[in-house]
């Protein structure tokens, strides 16, 4: 054990030296001032410093600070002239291993204290290394990266240079983990780390931030062109197949890039920005890189604000419903209604569902919002029934995310039961995406709904890529022809062909067809000629309030029954060519 005794008082030094020399393994070096001590430490090799707090060139805390700055790895035992509790606490908080009072703690205790101090320092150093280390890949971890980022940006600030930050995420990592197991996943991470290492230069900083996320920091890469070239090389090196556990595994990466200080000069934000850019790279098809832009940030902020306001509107009853008529084209009577959400946000004014529904879907708020819609529709149906108004079925839009809730059909049943509403009066509109899943759970839920007696309609039909054979397997009542086809009837032969195909498909499967977005008489004529007899659109009525619907219900009295049969009127159709 090599010790440095820093003590200017000759008598004290002699005494302490004698105590310490009683052990053979102690090599003692004596310094008389802080200045000399620093000089000795610079030579290196010391395990501990026994440091007097009264020196010719410094006293108290200053002695500790100077020694720690001179050598961060050496254990320090402070020696005070007389006891001072407050100073002792301060000094120990600085990470000094022990505080002794001269002449008080003597004999064996001194040597033991020094030995313990060395041990304590060693484990503290090890801990701080472990805290920054990823044992799997032997790279630094997130903590390490943050530290290095701080340092690199401080340097760049002084030198007026730039730092490029690359944020990488493996695109198919979860799949590898799920199909080949965690061990294979771990091996893949190790090999990815090794390949990335071949692409970084000495002085670049690389870390595994967690999971399948890696980050690389490059100082002196200042142009987007250079950074783009580097990112492309990183993509290429990962794309080559890996041999993992006897399997050939191929994965791709998505990379987000950001620059200090151009994009931001807050290091936490910097990492976040690179993360945002990485997500954009994923969104635009994976296996590519994206530079962070302020616009990405603005969009994310807007998304969060919108989501926050949706949550608040949910709590404060900020949503309401409007109803758009569906009309039977042969009788021109009201055939049904579609409930549509409206939101008059105190901050933003009226927000279109086209804008807030996707955000509610992404954030999960669509689930409670969807149940709010269903509940409100049943409440209104009940109110109309009590007012002795004739009723027509009301459609409710159901998002896939809501449909996927394990208890969806049970909750629908619960709401119907609560308001004592006939199930035939409720139609659920869902999109094709639901059919494409073709999972057991989707089948089960649809059959439960069918058993319950609610009607099921496929919304925006023709826009998805649903395999038509799925249609046969699912219990469905209605296909809604998407309004984009209806709009193009005049101009597009393709749209006319698609509408024809949907109508004949529906007929062969004994489904009802409803055309949405009908705005002109020309569109109406075409639909009737081809055999679609139910339509919805501005030509027949805009979405309106519940009160505005009431006169329409009264007019419809003659044709409607209280619980309309599932089978729609199917007039003999004109034989269109
Ligand atoms: P959607 O289900 O296809 O609803 C029909 C949309 O077409 C409505 O827009 C309606 O106002 C509009 N529309 C009706 N007639 C015409 C027309 O003649 N011409 C044109 N150009 N448009 C017409 P809205 O109310 O803005 O709703 C947009 C979408 O938001 C809906 O499309 C639906 O996907 C979603 N949405 C609305 N309410 C709800 C809801 O309660 N739950 C869920 N999950 N989604 C909803
Ligand atoms: Ca709809
Ligand atoms: Ca639609």
């Amino acid at each position: 054990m090599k010790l440095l005794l820093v003590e200017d008082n000759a008598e004290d030094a002699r005494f302490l030296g004698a105590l310490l020399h009683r052990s053979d393994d102690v090599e003692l070096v004596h310094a008389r001032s802080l200045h000399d001590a620093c000089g000795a430490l610079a030579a290196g090799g010391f395990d501990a410093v026994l440091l007097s707090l009264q020196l010719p060139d410094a006293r108290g805390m200053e002695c500790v600070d100077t020694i720690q700055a001179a050598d961060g790895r050496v254990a320090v035992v402070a020696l005070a002239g007389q006891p001072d509790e407050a100073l002792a606490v301060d000094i120990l908080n600085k990470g000094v291993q022990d505080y002794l009072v001269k002449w008080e703690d003597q004999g064996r205790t001194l040597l033991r204290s020094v030995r313990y101090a060395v041990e304590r320092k060693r484990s503290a150093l090890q801990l701080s290394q472990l805290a920054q280390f990823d044992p799997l890949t032997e790279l630094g971890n997130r903590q390490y990266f943050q530290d290095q980022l701080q340092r690199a940006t401080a340097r760049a600030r002084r030198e007026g240079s730039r730092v490029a930050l690359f944020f990488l995420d493996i695109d198919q990592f979860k799949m590898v983990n799920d199909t080949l197991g965690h061990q294979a996943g771990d091996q893949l991470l190790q090999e990815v780390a090794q390949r990335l290492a071949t692409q970084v230069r000495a002085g670049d900083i690389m870390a595994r931030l967690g999971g399948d996320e890696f980050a690389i920091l490059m100082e002196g890469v200042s142009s987007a062109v250079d950074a783009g070239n580097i990112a492309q090389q990183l993509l290429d090196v990962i794309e080559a197949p890996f041999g993992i556990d006897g399997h050939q595994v191929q994965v791709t990466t998505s990379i987000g890039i950001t620059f200090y200080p151009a994009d931001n000069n807050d290091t936490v934000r910097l990492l976040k920005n690179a993360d945002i850019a990485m997500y954009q790279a994923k969104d635009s098809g994976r296996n590519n890189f994206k530079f962070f832009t302020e616009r990405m940030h603005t969009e994310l902020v807007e998304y969060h604000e919108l989501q926050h306001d949706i949550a608040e509107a949910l709590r404060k009853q900020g949503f309401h419903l409007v109803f758009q008529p569906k009309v039977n084209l042969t009788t021109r009577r009201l055939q049904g209604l579609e409930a549509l959400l409206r939101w008059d946000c105190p901050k933003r004014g009226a927000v279109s569902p086209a804008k807030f529904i996707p955000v509610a879907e992404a954030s999960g708020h669509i689930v409670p919002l969807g149940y709010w819609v269903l509940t409100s529709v049943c409440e209104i149906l009940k109110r109309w029934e009590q007012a002795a108004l004739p009723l027509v079925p009301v459609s409710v839009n159901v998002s896939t995310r809501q449909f996927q809730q394990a208890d969806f059909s049970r909750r629908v049943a619960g709401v119907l039961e609560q308001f004592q509403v006939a199930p035939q009066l409720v139609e659920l509109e869902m999109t094709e995406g639901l059919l494409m899943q073709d999972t057991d759970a989707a089948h089960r839920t649809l059959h439960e709904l069918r058993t319950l007696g609610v009607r099921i309609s496929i919304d925006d039909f023709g826009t998805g890529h649903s395999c038509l054979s799925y249609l046969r397997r699912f219990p469905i009542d209605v296909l809604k022809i998407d309004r984009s086809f209806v709009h193009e009837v005049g101009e597009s032969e393709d749209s006319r062909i698609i509408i024809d195909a949907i109508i004949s498909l529906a007929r062969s499967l004994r489904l009802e067809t409803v055309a949405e977005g009908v705005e002109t008489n020309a569109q109406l004529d075409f639909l009737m000629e081809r055999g679609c007899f139910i339509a919805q659109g501005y030509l027949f009525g805009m979405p309106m309030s519940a009160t505005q619907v009431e006169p329409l219900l009264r007019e419809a009295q003659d044709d409607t029954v209280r619980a309309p049969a599932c089978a729609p009127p199917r007039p003999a159709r004109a034989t269109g060519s």
Side-chain angles (χ1 to χ4, degrees), residues 279-564:
Y279 268 99
Q280 292 287 325
K282 270 210 198 294
D283 268 0
S284 54
R286 305 173 161 197
N287 197 19
N288 65 11
F289 59 86
K290 280 267 181 285
F291 291 98
F292 172 78
T293 61
E294 253 327 296
R295 201 182 146 63
M296 291 176 188
H297 179 239
T298 321
E299 276 171 9
L300 195 75
V301 170
E302 269 170 19
Y303 168 87
H304 282 295
E305 281 175 1
L306 198 55
Q307 179 201 319
H308 172 265
D309 293 348
I310 290 170
E312 185 170 271
L314 256 172
R315 279 197 304 275
K316 297 189 175 163
Q317 300 282 323
F319 293 101
H320 66 273
L321 291 178
V322 289
F323 299 87
Q324 188 176 32
K326 283 184 215 171
V327 173
N328 182 319
L329 297 181
T330 38
T331 62
R332 289 299 181 113
R333 301 276 181 171
L334 185 69
Q335 175 86 23
L337 295 163
E338 177 173 5
L340 293 161
L341 261 173
R342 292 293 175 264
W343 179 25
D344 291 318
C345 175
K347 237 168 43 193
R348 311 159 191 270
V351 187
S352 156
K355 181 163 181 184
F356 73 79
I357 295 282
V359 175
E361 270 168 355
S363 65
H365 288 123
I366 194 69
V367 174
L369 191 53
Y371 288 121
W372 179 85
V373 174
L374 182 66
T375 308
S376 305
V377 162
C378 288
E379 211 177 322
I380 286 169
L381 278 167
K382 192 74 214 164
R383 206 168 72 213
W384 284 337
E385 193 195 317
Q386 283 165 350
L389 284 165
L391 302 177
V392 293
V394 179
S395 299
V396 171
N397 292 285
V398 175
S399 124
T400 304
R401 183 135 179 200
Q402 187 185 4
F403 175 84
Q404 283 167 338
Q405 300 288 303
D407 59 351
F408 179 69
S409 53
R410 197 173 54 74
R411 287 190 68 175
V412 171
V415 176
L416 292 171
E417 168 76 25
Q418 184 189 346
F419 293 94
Q420 291 290 305
V421 165
Q424 295 80 1
L425 285 174
V426 172
E427 182 171 296
L428 302 177
E429 292 192 5
M430 305 180 220
T431 51
E432 283 171 283
L434 201 106
L435 304 185
M436 279 183 272
Q437 291 175 346
D438 196 27
T439 58
D440 289 347
H443 274 272
R444 198 174 335 111
T445 305
L446 281 174
H447 280 283
E448 283 164 5
L449 292 169
R450 158 57 60 93
T451 311
L452 195 63
V454 298
R455 287 156 53 88
I456 293 158
S457 162
I458 302 301
D459 206 355
D460 306 339
F461 191 75
T463 56
H465 308 276
S466 58
C467 169
L468 295 180
S469 66
Y470 286 172
L471 279 180
R472 278 177 225 286
R473 300 220 286 274
F474 288 104
I476 293 162
D477 303 284
V478 184
L479 297 184
K480 272 187 108 171
I481 304 171
D482 187 66
R483 57 185 184 277
S484 60
F485 303 122
V486 175
H487 282 188
E488 289 169 359
V489 149
E491 306 93 63
S492 154
E493 173 67 16
D494 283 350
S495 290
R496 291 194 288 271
I497 291 173
I498 291 169
I499 292 180
D500 259 345
I502 295 175
I503 294 172
S504 57
L505 175 73
R507 189 175 304 111
S508 77
L509 295 173
R510 301 178 175 282
L511 306 178
E512 183 178 307
T513 43
V514 176
E516 61 176 20
V518 181
E519 295 179 355
T520 67
N521 280 309
Q523 291 162 354
L524 170 69
D525 292 344
F526 173 84
L527 290 164
M528 288 189 67
E529 183 202 315
R530 298 306 161 100
C532 171
F533 298 102
I534 301 172
Q536 181 182 352
Y538 297 160
L539 187 64
F540 311 103
M542 302 288 285
M544 58 187 91
S545 71
T547 335
Q548 288 168 317
V549 169
E550 288 166 13
L552 298 184
L553 287 174
R554 263 185 220 105
E555 279 171 29
Q557 188 136 36
D558 299 343
D559 310 285
T560 43
V561 287
R562 290 181 65 82

Side-chain angles (χ1 to χ4, degrees), residues 161-163 222 258-265 270 273 292 294:
S161 60
R162 289 232 262 181
V163 176
S222 54
T258 189
F259 291 103
Y260 173 90
D263 293 332
N264 210 294
N265 48 27
L270 214 56
N273 288 352
F292 172 78
E294 253 327 296

Side-chain angles (χ1 to χ4, degrees), residues 1-27:
M1 187 164 63
K2 195 170 165 191
L3 286 185
L4 177 63
L5 173 63
V6 191
E7 173 64 84
D8 74 316
N9 182 307
E11 199 184 334
D12 289 356
R14 208 174 320 113
F15 173 69
L16 291 166
L19 285 179
L20 294 166
H21 267 305
R22 290 203 309 210
S23 173
D24 311 334
D25 69 334
V26 172
E27 180 192 343

